[in-house]
Amino acid sequence: MQVPLLDLKPQFAKIRDEVKQAIDRVLETQVFVLGPEVQKLEQEVSEYSGAKFGVGCASGTDSILLSLMAAGVSLGDEVITTPYTFFSTAGSISRVGAIPVFVDIDAETYNIDPSLIESRITPRTKALIPVHLFGQCADMGPILEIADEHGLYVIEDAAQSIGSKTKLDGAWAAAGAMGHLGCFSFFPSKNLGAYGDGGMVVTNDEGLAEKVRMLRAHGSKPKYHHSLIGANSRLDAIQAAVLRVKLKYLDGWSDARRQNAGFYDEAFAESGIESPKVRDGNRSIYNQYVIRTEARDRVMRYLKEHGVGCEVYYPVPLHLQKCYAFLGYNMGDFPESEAAARETLALPIYPELADEQLSYVVKCVLEGLK
Ligand SMILES: *Cc1c(COP(=O)(O)O)cnc(C)c1O
């Protein structure tokens, strides 16, 4: 049996007709960049995430970049985030000339450990970027409190977590809508994936929304009049049309992911494999299902030999990347991130997995562990 880490074909098979009609609709308009289709998606995604405004852009990476620019983060400023994330979180900080300042993760959720943030704040700190990793929200209560106390922007990297929820002051809040700016990625492999690159910034702040809207089109308003220096980072109408079809199914797909996760959780209980831990008051959408074992490399080899797709997110924490040597960090600086990089492995979790596939993955993991 073959079980890929992700197979988008069964999803496409179910929505093929709708997607083709949506793409046809765009072709008939011959409007390809921004336009009404993108506007409708912006409205639907902002409503979905409980934010007031949505601004589509070219990628998840650019949604972080544009958010930092809108927040006025620039040369020499410091932005706090974790070293255990996709490169783009820190890379975007660097691209505006700011300095990523790393804080270690919580060992159980892999998200930023709020108790470690305050000691890293300096007069140059401008923003915090909590990452909602693997589909689970970071511990936003204390993060928002710290930001408020120190006058910092909170930019949520929600690239892996659209639809994820957390209890905040007793009520459900959604990933992306809790801080000043929230960043979504529509990269095809994400839980809400386009048929190419795409991203969106969501916010409750009308001024920030307007700034991001200008920045994605070279900082112009009106056209050819530039009060800001922006970028060319716009969302395509074809991507928006595809995403509008898919958004309707997203909650159902998230339920299916949670169900698959429940199957694995049960199967791995007392096996020596650590299942992902979801914090009380969190509702994960399992963008990834990440197990943990000291025998990670052995299990990974076994899975690959037996046709099971798996991947290490992320093998090298960002403080140990070559391009960040100049920041002066060393091995040992962020022990939880380093341990996670050594011991974790993502398994297939996509919604359309069949029961036999799930059982086969479990069987191979347990055999690989022996
Ligand atoms: C995917 C991802 C991004 C970047 O999104 P792209 O659309 O690929 O540019 C940023 N942060 C995290 C945590 C991601 O997983």
Side-chain angles (χ1 to χ4, degrees), residues 59-61 64 85-86 88-89 131 157 159-160 185 187 190 198 314:
S59 68
T61 302
I64 302 172
T85 174
F86 181 57
S88 131
T89 318
V131 182
D157 181 342
Q160 298 182 3
S185 164
F187 186 74
K190 305 287 162 114
Y314 296 92

Side-chain angles (χ1 to χ4, degrees), residues 241-300:
V242 170
L243 289 164
R244 289 185 65 211
V245 171
K246 290 179 116 188
L247 184 60
K248 293 183 296 191
Y249 296 99
L250 185 57
D251 283 340
W253 291 335
S254 297
D255 287 341
R257 285 171 181 273
R258 267 190 294 271
Q259 210 168 346
N260 293 345
F263 180 92
Y264 282 145
D265 285 350
E266 207 167 299
F268 294 139
E270 289 157 53
S271 69
I273 292 285
E274 262 185 64
S275 293
K277 295 193 178 66
V278 178
R279 198 166 47 81
D280 268 354
N282 266 5
R283 205 167 145 74
S284 177
I285 52 90
Y286 291 96
N287 193 62
Q288 285 97 315
Y289 184 92
V290 176
I291 57 166
R292 184 165 186 156
T293 164
E294 283 175 17
R296 190 271 308 273
D297 289 345
R298 192 170 76 230
V299 171
M300 178 166 62

Side-chain angles (χ1 to χ4, degrees), residues 304-335:
K304 289 195 166 153
E305 282 165 13
H306 290 80
V308 175
C310 56
E311 186 153 320
V312 175
Y313 297 95
Y314 296 92
V316 183
L318 301 184
H319 67 292
L320 301 175
Q321 296 287 348
K322 195 169 168 187
C323 67
Y324 279 136
F326 75 95
L327 293 174
Y329 292 109
N330 295 301
M331 182 70 105
D333 284 348
F334 303 107

Side-chain angles (χ1 to χ4, degrees), residues 55-361:
V55 185
C57 62
S59 68
T61 302
D62 274 9
S63 70
I64 302 172
L65 184 71
L66 294 169
S67 293
L68 287 162
M69 291 167 83
V73 176
S74 66
L75 200 64
D77 290 336
E78 293 175 358
V79 178
I80 293 175
T81 192
T82 88
Y84 190 63
T85 174
F86 181 57
F87 179 76
S88 131
T89 318
S92 302
I93 297 169
S94 299
R95 283 189 56 205
V96 296
I99 299 155
V101 173
F102 295 124
V103 163
D104 211 355
I105 52 170
D106 171 76
E108 298 209 325
T109 62
Y110 308 117
N111 284 326
I112 195 165
D113 180 344
S115 73
L116 302 174
I117 293 176
E118 257 179 321
S119 67
R120 305 290 287 151
I121 294 175
T122 76
R124 290 198 295 184
T125 310
K126 272 278 176 65
L128 308 176
I129 306 188
V131 182
H132 306 311
L133 205 70
F134 304 150
Q136 170 169 212
C137 287
D139 190 1
M140 291 302 284
I143 292 170
L144 293 169
E145 223 166 89
I146 293 165
D148 197 38
E149 209 168 292
H150 295 267
L152 306 175
Y153 278 99
V154 175
I155 298 169
E156 293 169 64
D157 181 342
Q160 298 182 3
S161 59
I162 187 167
S164 182
K165 299 249 168 74
T166 187
K167 277 267 169 71
L168 204 56
D169 299 326
W172 287 109
M178 294 178 274
H180 299 89
L181 296 139
C183 306
F184 294 132
S185 164
F186 305 130
F187 186 74
S189 68
K190 305 287 162 114
N191 64 320
L192 179 63
Y195 291 175
D197 274 310
M200 193 174 291
V201 177
V202 292
T203 178
N204 287 307
D205 183 316
E206 192 166 9
L208 287 173
E210 184 55 20
K211 229 170 152 186
V212 175
R213 225 173 272 129
M214 289 170 68
L215 287 164
R216 75 175 168 185
H218 301 290
S220 64
K221 194 194 174 185
K223 205 172 175 186
Y224 304 129
H225 296 262
H226 303 262
S227 51
L228 300 168
I229 301 170
N232 173 5
S233 180
R234 299 165 302 205
L235 187 62
D236 286 347
I238 287 180
Q239 302 307 339
V242 170
L243 289 164
R244 289 185 65 211
V245 171
K246 290 179 116 188
L247 184 60
K248 293 183 296 191
Y249 296 99
L250 185 57
D251 283 340
W253 291 335
S254 297
D255 287 341
R257 285 171 181 273
R258 267 190 294 271
Q259 210 168 346
N260 293 345
F263 180 92
Y264 282 145
D265 285 350
E266 207 167 299
F268 294 139
E270 289 157 53
S271 69
I273 292 285
E274 262 185 64
S275 293
K277 295 193 178 66
V278 178
R279 198 166 47 81
D280 268 354
N282 266 5
R283 205 167 145 74
S284 177
I285 52 90
Y286 291 96
N287 193 62
Q288 285 97 315
Y289 184 92
V290 176
I291 57 166
R292 184 165 186 156
T293 164
E294 283 175 17
R296 190 271 308 273
D297 289 345
R298 192 170 76 230
V299 171
M300 178 166 62
R301 222 174 306 120
Y302 192 87
L303 291 181
K304 289 195 166 153
E305 282 165 13
H306 290 80
V308 175
C310 56
E311 186 153 320
V312 175
Y313 297 95
Y314 296 92
V316 183
L318 301 184
H319 67 292
L320 301 175
Q321 296 287 348
K322 195 169 168 187
C323 67
Y324 279 136
F326 75 95
L327 293 174
Y329 292 109
N330 295 301
M331 182 70 105
D333 284 348
F334 303 107
E336 294 303 345
S337 298
E338 292 164 20
R342 274 194 311 272
E343 298 174 358
T344 63
L345 187 65
L347 301 180
I349 188 71
Y350 60 93
E352 298 81 8
L353 281 168
D355 289 350
E356 315 83 75
Q357 290 178 302
L358 289 165
S359 301
Y360 182 68
V361 174

Side-chain angles (χ1 to χ4, degrees), residues 37-50 200 240 243-245 247-248:
E37 203 70 48
V38 171
Q39 266 171 14
K40 283 186 195 136
L41 178 75
E42 290 174 338
Q43 203 175 339
E44 287 162 9
V45 168
S46 56
E47 266 166 31
Y48 179 81
S49 62
M200 193 174 291
L243 289 164
R244 289 185 65 211
V245 171
L247 184 60
K248 293 183 296 191

